[in-house]
Amino acid sequence: FLTAYLDAAETVSAELPDCGLRWNTLAGLGYAESHHGTYGVEDGKIIGPRLDGTGGFMEIPDTDDGRLDGDTEYDRALGPLQFLPDSWRLYGDGDPQDIADAAVAAGRLLCAGDRDLSTAEDWADAVFAYNHSDRYLADVRDAAANYALGLTTHGRNHADQRPRDP
């Protein structure tokens, strides 16, 4: 997954050089959305819950005739970066289940609207465009900061996975 995030940041930076996208923001999203593809997997694909307005989820009627998510009544988020079919149509190329394709699409979504992710306000606006929740923003921020510092999302150094002494 790291290679996909690094490559996607490079690709999007070439497409949108004023955006200021960094790989660790994509890694923060990947952690928040699916723990880098480790949850939400059914039959080898990552498919989110049915967005039918129940269970605290939004109601989003089908936008793709079920072509991407297999549901002809309601949309479902897909892939390791949990794209809605309509968002995938706008920002994605290839397969939303493929981390490399999904990371590039996520970068394009984050950079939409001429955002400059090197500013705190535009960075927050970009993450809110993905999911407008203060908790989500904090989760992505914390994960992205930990990755930038070479730490896991649990605050430990990647090179030393043992818990630190208090």
Side-chain angles (χ1 to χ4, degrees), residues 1-2 4-6 8-9 12 19-33 36 80-81 99 102-103 106-111 115-120 122-128 130 136-137 139-149 153:
F1 281 77
L2 176 60
Y5 300 138
L6 290 165
V12 173
C19 176
L21 177 66
R22 299 186 48 133
W23 72 270
N24 60 303
T25 295
L26 294 171
L29 284 176
Y31 178 79
E33 289 296 335
H36 312 296
L81 287 163
I99 184 58
R108 289 176 181 145
L109 186 156
L110 292 170
C111 292
R115 290 188 190 103
D116 177 359
L117 301 188
S118 68
T119 70
D122 278 4
W123 190 90
D125 285 346
V127 174
F128 280 144
Y130 219 91
Y136 183 81
L137 178 71
D139 288 347
V140 172
R141 179 203 61 215
D142 292 350
N146 281 333
Y147 289 128
L149 294 171
T153 54

Side-chain angles (χ1 to χ4, degrees), residues 7 16 42 47 60 75 80 89-90 97 105 108 112 115 118-119 131 135 138 148 164:
D7 290 348
L16 303 161
E42 294 178 20
I47 307 264
I60 303 177
D75 272 347
R89 181 184 58 75
L90 294 172
Q97 297 291 340
R108 289 176 181 145
R115 290 188 190 103
S118 68
T119 70
N131 182 335
R135 173 61 191 226
R164 293 184 175 169

